[in-house]
Amino acid sequence: MKGPAMKTLYTVQDIPGRGKGVVAARKIPKGTRIMSEKPLMRLPKNENNTMSPLAIRYQLEALSEDQQDAFMSLHNAHSFQHLPEQYIRIFQTNCLPMDDVDEIAIYGIFLEAARINHDCDYNASSSWNDNIKRHVVHVLRDIQPGEEITISYHTPVRTRDARLEALKKSFNFTCVCRLCSLPDEQSQARDRKLEKLSRLRELLKAKESMPPHEALGYLHAQLRLWIELGREDHCSATAHSDALTLSITYGDLARARVFAQKALSVYKTVFGMDSYQAIVCNAAVMDPAVHPKYGFSTIWNTSVHETPRGLGHDDFENWLWEREKPVGPAQSLSPPRKSLFPGFVDLPRKNGVDAGGSSKKTRLCFLGVITSVKISDRLEFEIMDIHHEIIPLHFYTKGRGTEMPPGLCHRDNTVAIIDASQDVFESGTSGIRIEDPQKIKIFPHLLDRIISLNNNVREFSLRQDNGMRKCHGCYKTAAAATMKRCGRCSLYWYCNKLCQIVGWTTNAHQVNCKALKDPDLRALCVIKWDEEDDFVRFPLKIADAPS
């Protein structure tokens, strides 16, 4: 319920076309906690993601008559046939997540928060504060008198169609908010960023098993996308919080404190200073070394006093995020992605003339991540290239695409196409036409994962022009003759046994080495396309390992 200081902040009133809603009664500053409620009822969801009718009935009967009336007055988005089912439908429509008990999700009914309507461009956050055992709501920006206060009913990375479908299924309404009403072109551009965020989120689930500078790069990409989408709230704070943990883990106290400060500035607005998230970040601001992850590794070792001063905003951000920026000769070991794996716009046209007007034959390997699969009279993909452009890919092979392994023809896998070109289909749409099934290979990896692995292999496997190599354990360069390479993949090089252990356990070689068992993926990472003859097909046939 409302606390004494919260009573004058908002009113619950009828909103045209939206039922009841919460409206600001006066100006509410950003970060203000407007609600702090104990649950009226709390129930776990069972394995079928539903609630027990008997449990709801027992809890409802234990309430006062006024509380029962308040519960029954809440909106119900679903049909029902009898009273127990009505209880369930009201609970399902209005419940909000609380804590987990023995990995079982607990949901609660909060009478005030249940009146807050949805908006995909929400202006308030709704969360369970486990420290005070209350559900809290904070406004994310200054709210003007008479303005409706809204929260999001769905996860923030859903595309427009996915949002509309989920909201219709769970709450039986069609969202017409500003974001859902954008013109198609703007909505599709936004959806592409959300899809990118979704893939980054999947990649970052394995951040502890990838090289730390690679994980930091993904977190930075995630943050930039959230900022572009205008969501500088808990979404962007998560990137800073994860970067804090990463920096602490590898001994970088200077950056850890900065990341903690940035995450804290958002968490105190979104969740409050008494939230677990804010408490953890505040402790890291005071002394990053108290973080439980500190001491795992010292490969990024810095002290809190090594934060640079006097830098402009852009230079400071570059220092903060570019933890392993290549310098000197090592820069040549990671060629630009476009030169190795072009986007669709960079491909030559079907007649042999490239996008720049040249008719010179250039060996290319195009990569794209599958975003949708359609099977009609032939196999058809929609794929996204490195520039985030969506391109149709149609199979005009003898088997009309049946040559492709069915188990690999699904979303988020990556296609590699040798000598791809821009084509125009009968519909007038530009895309890629596959006529030779040996010119295409599907890898069970995300596009960014393959790009990252390719750059990583080329950085640590190729000999530099001065005869030096880069150790995958300590990242230092040494004379090639003094180094030893991995006995499994023969691609990564190390100064000594200790560096090999660090590379295997800390710098994700255990994961990369397993992926490189695929001979085509291995070849993709070391092949020199400009030295290959015209007859290049999958499976790729190249030398076993670079010297």
Side-chain angles (χ1 to χ4, degrees):
M1 295 296 184
K2 297 182 187 180
M6 301 176 185
K7 290 182 178 179
T8 61
L9 293 178
Y10 64 88
T11 61
V12 176
Q13 60 188 60
D14 291 326
I15 307 293
R18 292 165 66 86
K20 298 288 185 182
V22 175
V23 176
R26 58 183 176 86
K27 183 176 180 179
I28 307 176
K30 175 182 176 180
T32 301
R33 178 175 291 176
I34 64 169
M35 293 182 187
S36 178
E37 290 185 86
K38 291 183 177 180
L40 180 73
M41 303 165 64
R42 52 186 296 165
L43 290 169
K45 284 189 176 181
N46 61 27
E47 62 273 11
N48 297 319
N49 203 34
T50 59
M51 281 80 176
S52 163
L54 192 60
I56 294 178
R57 177 186 167 188
Y58 284 157
Q59 290 204 34
L60 192 58
E61 289 176 349
L63 300 177
S64 69
E65 187 173 337
D66 287 345
Q67 289 174 323
Q68 291 179 15
D69 290 343
F71 174 80
M72 295 301 293
S73 72
L74 295 176
H75 177 63
N76 177 16
H78 308 281
S79 61
F80 59 91
Q81 296 181 347
H82 46 75
L83 195 59
E85 188 178 11
Q86 183 184 11
Y87 298 157
I88 294 173
R89 299 306 182 211
I90 293 175
F91 196 101
Q92 289 176 329
T93 302
N94 296 278
C95 67
L96 291 165
M98 295 173 57
D99 48 359
D100 291 348
V101 177
D102 295 329
E103 299 184 356
I104 298 175
I106 306 296
Y107 287 77
I109 291 293
F110 305 91
L111 293 177
E112 293 288 320
R115 297 299 186 184
I116 305 178
N117 285 320
H118 164 82
D119 196 303
C120 298
D121 193 18
Y122 51 94
N123 57 23
S125 71
S126 163
S127 61
W128 174 254
N129 187 318
D130 200 48
N131 280 335
I132 62 174
K133 303 299 180 184
R134 287 174 175 265
H135 179 272
V136 295
V137 177
H138 295 79
V139 295
L140 301 177
R141 57 173 173 78
D142 291 346
I143 305 294
Q144 301 304 316
E147 183 178 355
E148 185 179 6
I149 297 167
T150 58
I151 60 175
S152 175
Y153 290 0
H154 58 70
T155 55
V157 294
R158 282 181 170 152
T159 60
R160 180 169 67 176
D161 287 348
R163 294 196 306 268
L164 292 172
E165 181 181 354
L167 291 169
K168 187 68 175 177
K169 180 179 179 180
S170 298
F171 302 99
N172 198 28
F173 72 86
T174 299
C175 186
V176 291
C177 73
R178 180 185 69 84
L179 295 181
C180 289
S181 303
L182 287 173
D184 285 346
E185 185 175 346
Q186 293 180 33
S187 183
Q188 289 165 7
R190 185 178 178 85
D191 283 352
R192 285 194 289 272
K193 292 178 181 178
L194 291 168
E195 288 171 344
K196 175 73 171 177
L197 277 166
S198 182
R199 287 192 292 275
L200 283 170
R201 186 169 67 172
E202 288 302 310
L203 276 170
L204 286 166
K205 286 180 180 179
K207 60 181 176 290
E208 293 183 358
S209 63
M210 65 177 65
H213 60 279
E214 181 180 319
L216 192 65
Y218 287 143
L219 290 171
H220 194 198
Q222 187 182 58
L223 175 67
R224 291 197 303 268
L225 284 167
W226 281 126
I227 292 173
E228 289 174 16
L229 290 167
R231 289 265 57 110
E232 295 184 63
D233 48 28
H234 66 282
C235 300
S236 60
T238 299
H240 281 130
S241 179
D242 287 347
L244 156 65
T245 303
L246 188 69
S247 300
I248 284 284
T249 301
Y250 294 100
D252 192 342
L253 298 181
R255 287 175 177 81
R257 172 173 279 178
V258 176
F259 284 130
Q261 290 169 336
K262 288 178 175 288
L264 177 62
S265 68
V266 178
Y267 281 148
K268 67 182 181 182
T269 296
V270 178
F271 302 127
M273 279 300 294
D274 54 5
S275 66
Y276 171 79
Q277 297 92 330
I279 290 171
V280 169
C281 288
N282 190 50
V285 170
M286 301 300 292
D287 182 5
V290 303
H291 195 284
K293 289 281 188 178
Y294 182 64
F296 174 79
S297 171
T298 58
I299 63 170
W300 285 357
N301 188 42
T302 65
S303 73
V304 292
H305 305 295
E306 293 181 53
T307 305
R309 300 180 182 276
L311 296 180
H313 176 270
D314 291 346
D315 288 338
F316 187 83
E317 288 296 306
N318 286 338
W319 166 82
L320 183 63
W321 291 100
E322 297 295 323
R323 189 59 185 81
E324 287 294 331
K325 187 174 182 179
V327 293
Q331 284 184 311
S332 63
L333 297 181
S334 297
R337 297 198 308 183
K338 179 178 174 180
S339 65
L340 288 175
F341 306 117
F344 181 71
V345 70
D346 310 309
L347 297 178
R349 297 190 179 92
K350 187 69 173 178
N351 60 11
V353 178
D354 66 20
S358 171
S359 59
K360 181 181 178 180
K361 179 71 173 179
T362 304
R363 176 71 59 214
L364 296 170
C365 182
F366 173 89
L367 295 181
V369 64
I370 300 172
T371 60
S372 70
V373 179
K374 178 183 177 183
I375 302 176
S376 52
D377 61 330
R378 68 181 76 255
L379 180 62
E380 298 178 4
F381 294 156
E382 279 193 341
I383 55 177
M384 181 185 292
D385 70 1
I386 64 168
H387 302 312
H388 307 143
E389 295 299 321
I390 302 295
I391 305 105
L393 185 155
H394 296 180
F395 284 81
Y396 286 82
T397 59
K398 185 176 180 180
R400 296 175 177 263
T402 57
E403 301 92 343
M404 297 296 100
L408 293 177
C409 296
H410 59 76
R411 182 185 172 94
D412 291 339
N413 282 348
T414 297
V415 297
I417 307 170
I418 299 170
D419 297 336
S421 60
Q422 298 181 27
D423 206 340
V424 179
F425 303 125
E426 292 180 0
S427 62
T429 305
S430 295
I432 296 176
R433 178 187 180 106
I434 301 296
E435 297 177 343
D436 183 349
Q438 287 189 286
K439 288 281 190 175
I440 183 170
K441 170 83 181 251
I442 304 176
F443 293 100
H445 303 286
L446 288 165
L447 172 59
D448 283 346
R449 170 65 176 143
I450 292 180
I451 293 289
S452 173
L453 182 61
N454 172 79
N455 289 342
N456 198 254
V457 168
R458 290 177 185 270
E459 181 174 1
F460 293 104
S461 69
L462 300 182
R463 189 196 303 264
Q464 300 176 18
D465 293 339
N466 60 5
M468 307 287 277
R469 288 193 186 278
K470 191 172 184 180
C471 174
H472 183 242
C474 65
Y475 299 161
K476 295 178 180 178
T477 55
T482 67
M483 302 183 74
K484 299 183 182 299
R485 62 183 174 184
C486 172
R488 291 179 175 85
C489 67
S490 301
L491 292 176
Y492 287 75
W493 294 76
Y494 301 95
C495 298
N496 49 49
K497 187 67 175 179
L498 178 60
C499 282
Q500 187 174 15
I501 292 172
V502 171
W504 185 260
T505 59
T506 303
N507 296 343
H509 187 51
Q510 183 175 8
V511 176
N512 292 342
C513 200
K514 182 178 179 180
L516 290 166
K517 287 183 178 180
D518 182 335
D520 282 326
L521 183 58
R522 173 192 179 86
L524 202 67
C525 292
V526 298
I527 192 171
K528 297 179 180 178
W529 294 103
D530 54 351
E531 296 180 7
E532 295 298 318
D533 59 29
D534 289 338
F535 196 76
V536 181
R537 301 286 190 276
F538 288 108
L540 295 172
K541 294 180 173 62
I542 62 167
D544 184 57
S547 60

